[in-house]
Amino acid sequence: MTEQPARTPASAVFGRDGWFRFLLSTVSRAYLVFLFTLTVTALLPALFGWHGSVIQSGSMRPHVNPGDVVLSTKLPAEAAVPVGGVVKFSTPHAPGEVRTVMHRIIEDNGDGTYTTRGDANRDPDSGRITRADITGQARLLLPLLGLPGFWLGRGDYMELGLGSALTLLALVSALDVPRPKRTRGTRPGRPDGTGLAAGQGTVLTVAATLILAGLAGTQLTDARAAFTATTMTVSSWSVADMTPLFLGRAAPYALLAATKITNTGPPGQTSIGGSVGTSPGRTISGINNGHTTGNIDAGNETSRGAMDDAVTLHAAAGSRPGTALQPALNGTLTPGVYESTGTGFSLTGSLILDGRGDPDALFILRAPTLTTAHASKVTLVNGAAARNVHWVTSGGISIDANSNVAGNHLAAGNILIGDGVNLTGRLVSLTGTISLTTANITVPR
């Protein structure tokens, strides 16, 4: 008979058969069972044609949060349009681009069109949809299951690594659960009777493998909306970004003003890659067909429609919750909504907008005014695109000479552009004028 060493208080708690290790193993098992259940719940419906989306924005809060997964099905042909329900639909975003969005239908307009909105958004979506636009209806919410896709899509590799490490730690702890000593022989497992039996270890290993495969094997496809699913293949997953801001009929316009647009530079020195329009004003001076690659619409039906959509876009961008930011712009910004803590944003040097590898990364910079100094510069890196940058002001915008800037500039007041400015984006004045001198302005694609 072998004499057992005396147990100390510390070994009773932290020892091999102490209660701490037993509790840790029990919690780890519960965690793995929870993940396994969610993974199976997500994967089985996909075998029957359901489609999943990983949520990466808060536009459907409080019921749907970033990192959740939503499963959807096609809307049957004989079914009525589910007013009040959450649907997936296609909508134009820019010339030649169609985006897929999933939001709630809030109103039947009675003319075959429907109004949609994200639950957390104050304003409805800028465009209306028809039944033909609807490609699916949300059916099942799986909380937290999409966190790996959420972290990966946003480039949050530290959170992804910590989550993966936690899962692996849970697996190790679950496989190492202590078992009571046996006085007569031992069960298969450890020679001393501790640990899991081989069969139990195999089951947990298979379960953990399925969890990791299910979470890591999902496809992350192109998407822009609150929660989207652009791929219709079985078991494909979409990663979403912020709630989309639709340019609508304003998309073709490089310059759009309420009252007038004037160009005072030397003839032939200004280049405009896009259309030019005013509404309700009719004054466009110093710009002719030789300056622009698009149309010139002075107070006509086309520019009126464009202005209507620009007003909606300005309001939608202004309603998003924002992060406070010092008025003096410099350094590097990552995707998000930023709001000036002062009277307006000012750019005196260089500002870098870092898309973090996401070509659909959205930037909204909101302030009473925007002013740039001489030769200021906005640089887009790591996938950031000018079409997804929105400068939104409740007053005017002034861009000084020789500046190189990017994004859609949406001003409630007047816009003044200095000599030699290069802009990849748009200039929109909702109530005032646009004045420019020898500028190069190109609508982003």
Side-chain angles (χ1 to χ4, degrees):
M1 178 176 178
T2 304
E3 184 176 347
Q4 299 292 329
R7 298 186 64 182
T8 65
S11 65
V13 176
F14 299 105
R16 181 159 200 82
D17 56 349
W19 65 263
F20 177 79
R21 294 193 64 175
F22 175 77
L23 179 62
L24 178 62
S25 179
T26 301
V27 171
S28 297
R29 283 182 165 189
Y31 170 73
L32 290 174
V33 169
F34 171 72
L35 287 185
F36 179 75
T37 302
L38 287 181
T39 303
V40 171
T41 304
L43 295 180
L44 284 182
L47 300 177
F48 300 96
W50 290 37
H51 313 288
S53 302
V54 179
I55 311 309
Q56 288 201 341
S57 85
S59 71
M60 289 297 291
R61 281 175 171 161
H63 306 295
V64 184
N65 295 286
D68 293 348
V69 167
V70 172
L71 299 179
S72 62
T73 62
K74 291 184 178 180
L75 184 66
E78 67 278 6
V81 173
V83 177
V86 178
V87 297
K88 181 173 62 179
F89 56 92
S90 299
T91 184
H93 177 77
E97 275 193 79
V98 176
R99 303 293 173 86
T100 303
V101 181
M102 192 179 283
H103 270 174
R104 190 179 304 279
I105 297 178
I106 61 173
E107 184 178 0
D108 181 348
N109 300 311
D111 59 356
T113 66
Y114 302 86
T115 300
T116 57
R117 184 182 64 195
D119 289 353
N121 295 339
R122 184 183 65 185
D123 299 316
D125 298 334
S126 59
R128 296 180 175 184
I129 66 171
T130 66
R131 183 187 179 90
D133 297 322
I134 299 174
T135 58
Q137 182 176 2
R139 298 293 186 183
L140 183 64
L141 174 66
L142 301 174
L144 306 179
L145 183 62
L147 279 175
F150 170 70
W151 291 326
L152 184 61
R154 293 176 61 89
D156 295 330
Y157 302 117
M158 179 176 292
E159 289 84 349
L160 181 63
L162 290 175
S164 300
L166 176 63
T167 302
L168 292 175
L169 176 62
L171 176 60
V172 172
S173 299
L175 290 173
D176 198 36
V177 60
R179 297 175 60 86
K181 303 282 187 177
R182 299 180 60 87
T183 57
R184 294 184 180 179
T186 61
R187 297 182 62 182
R190 297 182 183 273
D192 61 356
T194 64
L196 286 174
Q200 292 174 292
T202 301
V203 170
L204 278 176
T205 301
V206 170
T209 301
L210 288 175
I211 291 170
L212 295 175
L215 297 180
T218 55
Q219 299 177 19
L220 304 180
T221 57
D222 188 25
R224 285 88 171 173
F227 41 118
T228 69
T230 58
T231 305
M232 301 301 292
T233 55
V234 173
S235 191
S236 65
W237 303 88
S238 304
V239 174
D241 209 331
M242 294 182 182
T243 305
L245 300 176
F246 296 115
L247 289 158
R249 291 167 290 182
Y253 286 85
L255 304 176
L256 184 63
T259 58
K260 67 178 180 178
I261 297 174
T262 60
N263 173 37
T264 58
Q269 296 299 308
T270 292
S271 174
I272 301 171
S275 294
V276 177
T278 55
S279 180
R282 294 177 174 272
T283 302
I284 299 177
S285 63
I287 297 176
N288 55 45
N289 291 329
H291 293 104
T292 177
T293 61
N295 299 324
I296 297 179
D297 301 311
N300 60 20
E301 183 177 353
T302 302
S303 59
R304 283 195 296 272
M307 183 59 75
D308 288 343
D309 287 352
V311 170
T312 301
L313 173 62
H314 185 277
S319 69
R320 305 301 191 266
T323 300
L325 188 65
Q326 291 297 319
L329 297 175
N330 56 64
T332 300
L333 292 179
T334 55
V337 181
Y338 300 94
E339 191 160 14
S340 172
T341 58
T343 57
F345 280 134
S346 61
L347 176 61
T348 58
S350 178
L351 175 67
I352 298 173
L353 302 181
D354 186 350
R356 303 179 72 178
D358 181 5
D360 301 308
L362 183 61
F363 297 82
I364 300 176
L365 294 101
R366 193 167 58 228
T369 61
L370 170 65
T371 304
T372 75
H374 178 82
S376 297
K377 186 176 183 180
V378 175
T379 303
L380 308 179
V381 300
N382 294 330
R387 67 177 183 275
N388 298 322
V389 177
H390 302 277
W391 303 85
V392 182
T393 70
S394 56
I397 293 177
S398 177
I399 301 176
D400 205 353
N402 297 320
S403 294
N404 288 274
V405 291
N408 302 308
H409 294 68
L410 311 171
N414 297 328
I415 298 178
L416 177 63
I417 305 298
D419 185 29
V421 168
N422 291 293
L423 164 66
T424 301
R426 298 172 178 87
L427 299 174
V428 179
S429 172
L430 302 183
T431 64
T433 66
I434 298 176
S435 302
L436 58 138
T437 306
T438 319
N440 294 297
I441 304 170
T442 303
V443 170
R445 301 299 179 186

